[in-house]
Amino acid sequence: MKSSSQSHLLSFIFSLLFVILVVESASIREVLTQKRSMLQNIKDAQNYMLTMMDAAKTLASPSDQTIANQLIQEQQAKLQKTKVIEQKLSFELGLLETKCNISVGENCNQVIPSNCTVGWFGSNCSIPICFGYLPGDSNICGGHGTCVKPNTCSCQVGWTGSSCETNSYIATVSSVASSPSPQTTATIVGDNLVGRKWSNGEVAASCNQYRNPLPGYQYEGATGDGVYLIKTSTTLKVWCDMNSNGGGWTLVVAQYENDAIGNWAQGLTANYDPTLQSKKSFVIDSNLIPTHTYTAFGKDFVATFVDYFAFTYTTGDIPNTEVFGVKSNAYYRIHRNVNNYYDDHHPYGVLNSVPQWKNALTCSKSTAKYYWAFSPFATNPSSRGFAIGGNLLDFAVDSFAWTVWVK
């Protein structure tokens, strides 16, 4: 059954396309603020939908499985719609931020002199800039403070926040009113040895469900990065990155050059080690990967080391797919095929089929090569981890893991 809060939340998200057009009449900085807020609302709604799917998957009884599957399909369809809106917003936000990062004023129309250090303005670069505004502008420091140095506001009494945007009295009252009832809240217990779970003995469906829990649960206790228990088609230990770009990332692939796995759909083996201490590669089975909206390409335990995308990861072939990097506001392409690859593992280039480079998983930026590529069949181990973070790395065997995460 669909709750009224869920209906209101989805109605809000699907009305954003109209709102996006309406705010264009405001000043550029107002539009920038509104678009940032919209983007965060979309992400919150997506997390809510993921939580609903996780709950349907883990809590439904056998007799309710048909209804649960229908709910999951409905949520997945709605998620796809929000992804389209999110990508449009992210792209527009990137353009606005690029303009406003090098200028000041309500409409970002006063270009900062090139000889000034970042954060300073004026003929002698002595005027501090606070979040895009100059002293004397009515919008500086939320209209409730003084800019004393770059991005540093001295707030009036009764106001707080980096740009004096929060009424401290209202914030205090709101915090007290929204405090959860301690006797009805489950927190996180456990460690890297046994795996973390809820204090009431239950197990979440993903790292994201621990990081953004259902009502009655709270992300407190034995929190942070580490080994958690999750339940998809079965219960297993996984490593969770709880900090990078909002946290809630589940590690599903770790590839080492000295222990490469050629079959990305192989599944877990007896030497599976989510802590990476043994330096053993692993690829989690497709039926064990949590329901997710985002995929991230990382390095060791840093999930979003390269970037993350509104993209559903699969263990099979991945057609040459263009995606939008949420972290960098740039376009990338993701590709993997058992029969071919792209020269320099750059999907914007030329398709080729030399055997040792086939089945390489590649995530490459539209404007540059070498962002993330792992080719498990490369004859020379030093060439398997071909590139990461914009750097070509086929000269020596590296000790870190090329990692893939979902959320």
Side-chain angles (χ1 to χ4, degrees):
M1 182 180 296
K2 190 182 298 180
S3 68
S4 59
S5 61
Q6 182 188 5
S7 299
H8 293 157
L9 184 60
L10 295 176
S11 298
F12 168 75
I13 290 300
F14 297 137
S15 69
L16 279 177
L17 282 174
F18 171 75
V19 178
I20 289 170
L21 298 175
V22 172
V23 298
E24 296 300 339
S25 62
S27 71
I28 289 180
R29 289 206 182 272
E30 288 174 332
V31 172
L32 194 60
T33 299
Q34 290 167 332
K35 286 185 184 292
R36 284 173 179 151
S37 177
M38 291 175 192
L39 192 59
Q40 185 57 54
N41 286 335
I42 287 175
K43 291 178 180 178
D44 289 343
Q46 288 173 336
N47 281 332
Y48 178 83
M49 293 177 202
L50 284 172
T51 298
M52 290 287 291
M53 286 188 279
D54 287 341
K57 186 181 293 186
T58 58
L59 302 180
S61 63
S63 60
D64 293 332
Q65 200 59 53
T66 300
I67 297 175
N69 290 338
Q70 182 180 354
L71 174 62
I72 290 171
Q73 290 175 359
E74 289 175 355
Q75 296 298 317
Q76 286 174 334
K78 290 166 184 172
L79 269 174
Q80 287 301 122
K81 292 180 180 179
T82 65
K83 287 180 184 180
V84 174
I85 301 173
E86 180 190 12
Q87 289 190 345
K88 173 180 170 62
L89 267 175
S90 296
F91 180 73
E92 293 175 348
L93 192 57
L95 293 178
L96 289 176
E97 288 180 331
T98 297
K99 178 178 181 179
C100 291
N101 283 343
I102 60 171
S103 56
V104 293
E106 188 68 5
N107 284 300
C108 305
N109 53 3
Q110 294 176 268
V111 178
I112 300 171
S114 59
N115 61 312
C116 289
T117 304
V118 174
W120 296 94
F121 187 81
S123 57
N124 59 356
C125 304
S126 60
I127 303 172
I129 303 169
C130 275
F131 307 102
Y133 293 104
L134 293 172
D137 194 307
S138 60
N139 294 291
I140 199 167
C141 297
H144 306 293
T146 303
C147 182
V148 293
K149 59 183 180 180
N151 289 346
T152 303
C153 293
S154 175
C155 300
Q156 298 170 358
V157 174
W159 294 89
T160 186
S162 59
S163 56
C164 307
E165 73 281 8
T166 303
N167 184 304
S168 55
Y169 172 75
I170 293 176
T172 300
V173 172
S174 175
S175 175
V176 172
S178 63
S179 296
S181 174
Q183 61 267 31
T184 60
T185 301
T187 56
I188 295 172
V189 296
D191 54 33
N192 284 350
L193 183 62
V194 299
R196 295 164 177 81
K197 61 181 179 180
W198 294 119
S199 56
N200 62 4
E202 294 184 3
V203 174
S206 66
C207 296
N208 191 47
Q209 196 180 86
Y210 284 112
R211 192 68 180 82
N212 299 283
L214 293 162
Y217 300 83
Q218 196 159 343
Y219 182 66
E220 288 187 355
T223 59
D225 297 353
V227 176
Y228 288 71
L229 294 172
I230 68 167
K231 183 179 181 181
T232 52
S233 60
T234 189
T235 300
L236 75 155
K237 294 179 181 178
V238 295
W239 187 275
C240 297
D241 177 345
M242 294 304 203
N243 293 291
S244 297
N245 293 95
W249 296 98
T250 303
L251 178 59
V252 296
V253 170
Q255 286 273 29
Y256 287 94
E257 289 187 307
N258 268 335
D259 186 51
I261 296 173
N263 179 6
W264 297 87
Q266 170 184 287
L268 299 181
T269 61
N271 62 7
Y272 169 57
D273 175 18
T275 70
L276 304 186
Q277 292 181 357
S278 63
K279 302 289 185 182
K280 291 292 184 181
S281 296
F282 65 81
V283 288
I284 289 183
D285 318 49
S286 59
N287 66 318
L288 295 180
I289 294 177
T291 303
H292 59 281
T293 300
Y294 297 101
T295 296
F297 288 83
K299 175 183 178 182
D300 272 345
F301 292 124
V302 184
T304 59
F305 181 83
V306 171
D307 214 325
Y308 67 103
F309 317 91
F311 176 81
T312 301
Y313 178 73
T314 175
T315 58
D317 286 350
I318 299 173
N320 192 341
T321 306
E322 188 162 66
V323 293
F324 190 78
V326 181
K327 179 179 172 182
S328 65
N329 288 319
Y331 282 99
Y332 294 72
R333 282 187 180 176
I334 299 172
H335 175 262
R336 182 177 61 213
N337 190 282
V338 294
N339 296 313
N340 55 52
Y341 71 99
Y342 284 85
D343 285 348
D344 287 332
H345 298 302
H346 186 55
Y348 289 87
V350 179
L351 197 64
N352 212 322
S353 59
V354 176
Q356 71 164 325
W357 302 117
K358 294 178 181 179
N359 212 27
L361 178 59
T362 301
C363 174
S364 190
K365 208 170 189 178
S366 62
T367 56
K369 302 177 182 179
Y370 311 135
Y371 269 81
W372 197 104
F374 193 90
S375 186
F377 292 124
T379 306
N380 189 338
S382 66
S383 297
R384 292 170 184 165
F386 187 77
I388 199 164
N391 298 305
L392 178 63
L393 295 179
D394 67 342
F395 309 110
V397 175
D398 295 289
S399 60
F400 60 83
W402 274 252
T403 51
V404 180
W405 308 70
V406 299
K407 171 181 175 179

